[in-house]
Structure formats: C-alpha cells, structure tokens
Amino acid sequence: MHIKELFKDKTVFSFEVFPPKKTSPVDVIYSTLDELNDLHPDFISVTFGAGGSGNSRYALEIASKIKESGITPMLHLPCINFTKSEIDAALDEAKERGIENILALRGDINPEIPPVNDFSYASDLITYIKSKGDFDIAGACYPECHPDADSLVDDIINLRKKVEAGADHLITQLFFDNDNFYEFREKAAIAGINIPIEAGIMPVVNKRQIERMVTTCGASLPSKFVRIMTKYEHNPEALRDAGIAYAVNQIVDLVASGVDGIHLYTMNNPYVARKISEAVSGIIKT
Ligand code: FAD
C-alpha cells in the first residue's frame, strides 16, 4: 500500500517508533508494536540512525514485523553518512521485505562523523530512490525552519526541491504552537507545494522530555505550554495527563483546520498513544 493513496479519502493518523539500542535485543519492542497495532493506525514509521547508532538492521526488521501484523510500515532512510552502495543495500532489502514506503532524509550532520557526500540533501536521495523502483516517498519539513537554513523562505525554496524530486507527501518536525504550522502551510502553498502535509505531534509526558525540549528542540514553546510544564514537572502522573491533554487539544484544532494527517511521535509509549487515539477517534476517522 502506497501511503499517498490514503490521503485521498481521510485524515491520516500514523505513529512513529524508534528501534531499541543496539545493546538490547530487537524483540524488546515487539510488545510495544502489538499494543500500537491494536490502535489501527494508518501506518507506523520506524526511525533509522543517521550514523553510528548501528540500529539500521533493527529498523528493517521492525518494519517487516509491522507489515506482518497487517499495518503499513514506513522506513526512515537518512543518507548523509551512507554510501550509494549502502543505500542500495537498504533499498534492496526493503524491496525484498515488501516495504514500499520510505521517508527520505538527509540526517543531522554530526561533527564527529564526516559526511560521505554521495548524497548531500534529502532531495538527492529522493531522486535516487525514484530511479530504484516504485516506492512511495515522504520528506521531512520544518514549520519553524530547519536549523541549518538562513530563513524560512530559503528552507521552503529548498523544500520545493524535494517535491520537484518526487516526494509524495511530507511530515513536519514537532511543534507546540499550531499557528506556526498554519503559517508554514500557507507559505508552502504559495510556493507551489501542494502535496499532503502531516503534522508531527509529540506528547510531552515526562521531565526528561521537557529538559530535551528546552535545550535541543528548535520548536518554540508557547507560554501556555511552559505554564503547564512548570506547574506539573514534579508530579509525574499530572505531567503525563497534562501532556496527553495538550497533544489532544493540538490535534482537535488541527483536524478542525483541515490538516491532511497527524503523525504521532509515540516515543514507544503505547499507553500515551492509546489515550490520544481514544480521545480523538471520533474526530479523526472520516
Ligand atoms: P534536507 O531536506 O536535505 O535539508 C537539510 C538542510 O539543507 C535544510 O536547512 C535545507 O533548507 C537545506 N537544503 C536542502 N536542499 C538544499 C539544496 N539543494 N541546496 C541548499 N540547501 C538545501 N534523522 C535521522 O537520522 N533518522 C530519522 O529516522 C529521522 N527521522 C525524522 C523524521 C521527521 C518527521 C523529521 C522532521 C526529521 C527526522 N530526522 C531523522 C531528522 C533529520 O534527518 C534532520 O532534521 C536533518 O538535519 C535534515 O534532514 P532533511 O531530510 O530535512 O534534510
């Protein structure tokens, strides 16, 4: 199933998972997948380390496992630290496993790992994947601008190159202020980008996530969000419930505003995914 077909009929609702660390066996994630599959998302995507994480084999295995359970998988594929023949090997294996959907990415540039430079940008990878078979290809986009870009205008001009190269749909970086997404969507449309854009939603449900948000995430934190997180940061149960409620509110507003899809960063937490899925089940299925 090519994911692009789904957008024709409905608001797409999808999940993202990440493979376990290479020091853990792959099957530690299988019970999580069973619980996520029970929620019947339209697809589940699996992240893939851009370099050095050693979990790439896991990503393919996990994608196969998702497919076996009857859910459409999407494999993330970053390119900046891989040679053309490594990308060929990943695509060949994806084909053998019947994985038809790829999220084509550049990957973050790690100062400790010099880039291979067979592919400089995600658009180069998209062009290459197009030449390798009948894959459905997604790309990443950034409502608040990619950190390497000089401006959102430049970033959107670069995003158009991904679309021209053959991206079928897009998934956004996480954001906490829907207005940033609406402004981005409008600017992208003005730039002629008219493929479906799924909104990436990250429920922030524990203190570790808050700390990471504040230090590393480029997303702006609206005062409402900061107020909630500050109030509940020392009360894990309240923080979890508040984070779920915040994500649900974002989704309700996005769906009411005609979003093409919601991509939930599950953080491999089936409890949170279930609570959110149940809260939005009435509005999301159309
Ligand atoms: P690109 O589209 O190549 O853009 C990177 C930068 O280069 C941008 O600033 C852009 O404006 C600029 N640019 C693009 N094309 C050109 C051009 N032709 N000329 C000049 N400048 C250009 N990373 C992982 O390693 N593994 C994952 O599984 C993963 N999953 C992700 C899932 C989502 C939904 C998102 C949003 C991100 C994910 N990432 C993942 C992170 C991603 O790899 C990084 O954000 C990375 O820094 C950029 O990747 P990209 O594909 O958007 O790059």
Side-chain angles (χ1 to χ4, degrees):
M1 150 70 81
H2 278 195
I3 288 167
K4 66 177 170 219
E5 300 301 329
L6 296 170
F7 292 98
K8 292 178 184 163
D9 303 323
K10 67 190 299 279
T11 309
V12 169
F13 189 53
S14 57
F15 294 161
E16 179 171 309
V17 296
F18 52 83
K21 288 198 175 70
K22 63 179 170 182
T23 46
S24 310
V26 65
D27 49 14
V28 299
I29 197 181
Y30 288 171
S31 61
T32 301
L33 285 182
D34 287 343
E35 290 186 63
L36 293 178
N37 292 342
D38 281 351
L39 304 174
H40 308 294
D42 289 307
F43 69 90
I44 300 182
S45 78
V46 188
T47 68
F48 191 132
S53 76
N55 62 5
S56 50
R57 170 141 298 277
Y58 281 180
L60 280 151
E61 273 181 60
I62 293 165
S64 286
K65 190 81 183 166
I66 292 166
K67 189 176 165 70
E68 279 163 27
S69 68
I71 306 277
T72 301
M74 170 188 273
L75 179 73
H76 295 210
L77 187 59
C79 60
I80 192 73
N81 294 316
F82 295 119
T83 61
K84 215 169 238 185
S85 59
E86 286 169 320
I87 294 291
D88 281 340
L91 292 173
D92 288 346
E93 191 172 339
K95 245 188 244 175
E96 276 162 29
R97 291 173 181 269
I99 298 159
E100 304 169 279
N101 300 282
I102 308 280
L103 173 54
L105 296 152
R106 183 193 71 177
D108 283 327
I109 294 177
N110 180 339
E112 286 166 23
I113 308 175
V116 168
N117 287 332
D118 277 5
F119 304 94
S120 302
Y121 298 109
S123 52
D124 302 331
L125 179 63
I126 293 171
T127 304
Y128 191 67
I129 297 173
K130 277 265 156 200
S131 73
K132 298 295 286 185
D134 185 23
F135 290 102
D136 174 287
I137 307 174
C141 62
Y142 303 83
E144 297 179 71
C145 189
H146 185 270
D148 297 352
D150 288 338
S151 69
L152 187 57
V153 170
D154 284 354
D155 204 29
I156 289 177
I157 289 169
N158 291 329
L159 180 60
R160 198 167 56 198
K161 293 178 192 156
K162 283 200 251 207
V163 180
E164 287 162 356
D168 295 301
H169 46 104
L170 300 168
I171 304 179
T172 74
Q173 178 62 288
L174 60 91
F175 58 87
F176 298 105
D177 184 341
N178 288 358
D179 286 343
N180 290 331
F181 172 79
Y182 300 137
E183 281 166 31
F184 164 76
R185 185 171 64 170
E186 197 177 339
K187 287 181 180 138
I190 290 166
I193 294 169
N194 53 16
I195 58 175
I197 305 178
E198 263 194 284
I201 296 297
M202 162 86 83
V204 176
V205 294
N206 62 52
K207 198 157 181 260
R208 199 162 32 89
Q209 274 180 294
I210 300 181
E211 282 152 7
R212 219 177 26 233
M213 291 305 127
V214 173
T215 52
T216 63
C217 160
S220 55
L221 306 177
S223 51
K224 181 169 102 176
F225 178 88
V226 173
R227 220 166 27 246
I228 293 170
M229 296 298 136
T230 309
K231 168 88 180 162
Y232 300 118
E233 64 178 330
H234 301 299
N235 181 342
E237 206 172 304
L239 179 59
R240 183 198 62 200
D241 289 353
I244 290 171
Y246 193 93
V248 168
N249 273 332
Q250 275 194 278
I251 294 170
V252 172
D253 180 54
L254 286 161
V255 175
S257 306
V259 74
D260 296 308
I262 300 291
H263 187 65
L264 196 65
Y265 295 105
T266 69
M267 304 305 288
N268 294 5
N269 186 331
Y271 173 88
V272 172
R274 175 174 294 280
K275 286 287 175 195
I276 292 176
S277 302
E278 286 171 356
V280 302
S281 66
I283 61 154
I284 215 130
K285 67 163 141 53
T286 44

